[in-house]
Amino acid sequence: MSANFLNGITLLLAYQLVGEVSARLLNLPIPGPVIGMLLLFFSLLVRDSLAQVVEPAASALLSHLSLLFVPAGVGVMVHFGRIGEQWLPITAALLVGTLITLALTALVMLGVQRLQRRSAHHDA
């Protein structure tokens, strides 16, 4: 393990810790890792050099991202009976959630296209 990886993973874990502590102390309904990720995002916007520290650890974690699906698969198998009993609300939630996601994605795409057209007209 290189020092670059250790520095990066330490920084990522520190942001997660700050997020967890903030969520618990402030009794926020947002998960701690999400708060930590937002803090990291804003830190990266402010300090470009921070990306060089985080990049080795982030790349290593992303290369093993598929392993994070194992706990979800185990959860499905453990609660298979409950899923069978509640298949209708689960299916409805999945369908409605998918439709909302598609609609919002389309709206965001249209907004981005409008912004690109405006900037192209101003540049010309």
Side-chain angles (χ1 to χ4, degrees), residues 78-87 90:
V78 167
H79 297 287
F80 197 72
R82 179 179 287 171
I83 292 170
E85 295 168 0
Q86 301 292 325
W87 68 270
I90 292 171

Side-chain angles (χ1 to χ4, degrees), residues 18-121:
V18 169
E20 285 285 352
V21 170
S22 301
R24 289 176 191 242
L25 284 178
L26 301 173
N27 201 22
L28 298 173
I30 303 168
V34 173
I35 295 171
M37 190 169 28
L38 287 172
L39 292 171
L40 177 62
F41 173 73
F42 290 121
S43 298
L44 288 167
L45 288 176
V46 173
R47 272 188 72 201
D48 290 337
S49 61
L50 195 60
Q52 295 170 350
V53 176
V54 175
E55 195 275 329
S59 294
L61 288 172
L62 285 174
S63 68
H64 299 293
L65 190 62
S66 60
L67 292 175
L68 297 177
F69 290 102
V70 172
V74 170
V76 167
M77 297 310 295
V78 167
H79 297 287
F80 197 72
R82 179 179 287 171
I83 292 170
E85 295 168 0
Q86 301 292 325
W87 68 270
L88 186 59
I90 292 171
T91 303
L94 287 171
L95 288 174
V96 170
T98 300
L99 292 175
I100 291 171
T101 301
L102 287 171
L104 287 176
T105 302
L107 290 173
V108 168
M109 186 186 75
L110 289 173
V112 169
Q113 286 178 339
R114 285 186 191 135
L115 288 173
Q116 287 178 334
R117 275 191 236 122
R118 282 186 194 158
S119 68
H121 289 293

